[in-house]
Amino acid sequence: MRAPVYDVYQMKVRHLPDGVKSAWLRTWPGEKPDLERWVFMGRERHPSKITVKEMDAHGICYSESAM
């Protein structure tokens, strides 16, 4: 079975919560978040099993990295 493809966005620096270095959002292709807060980074063609599981459960995958 072929892996799903997701759109990947990075949160703009001025919108990051305190203590967060970067935030990433994966959506289904064509489902755009608020582009005032997010920048399109490209397509993820080989997602991890964790990403696929979260997308199946919630329809999005959000992750943060702390400073």
Side-chain angles (χ1 to χ4, degrees), residues 21-64:
K21 182 177 180 180
S22 65
W24 297 88
L25 180 70
R26 288 161 178 83
T27 67
W28 294 108
E31 293 182 10
K32 297 179 182 177
D34 177 8
L35 296 179
E36 292 293 320
R37 299 178 61 125
W38 298 93
V39 175
F40 178 72
M41 299 303 289
R43 293 259 162 99
E44 183 174 32
R45 299 188 186 284
H46 303 284
S48 70
K49 291 179 183 179
I50 294 170
T51 298
V52 172
K53 189 175 181 178
E54 195 164 328
M55 286 295 294
D56 288 344
H58 306 289
I60 64 167
C61 179
Y62 175 82
S63 61
E64 296 178 346

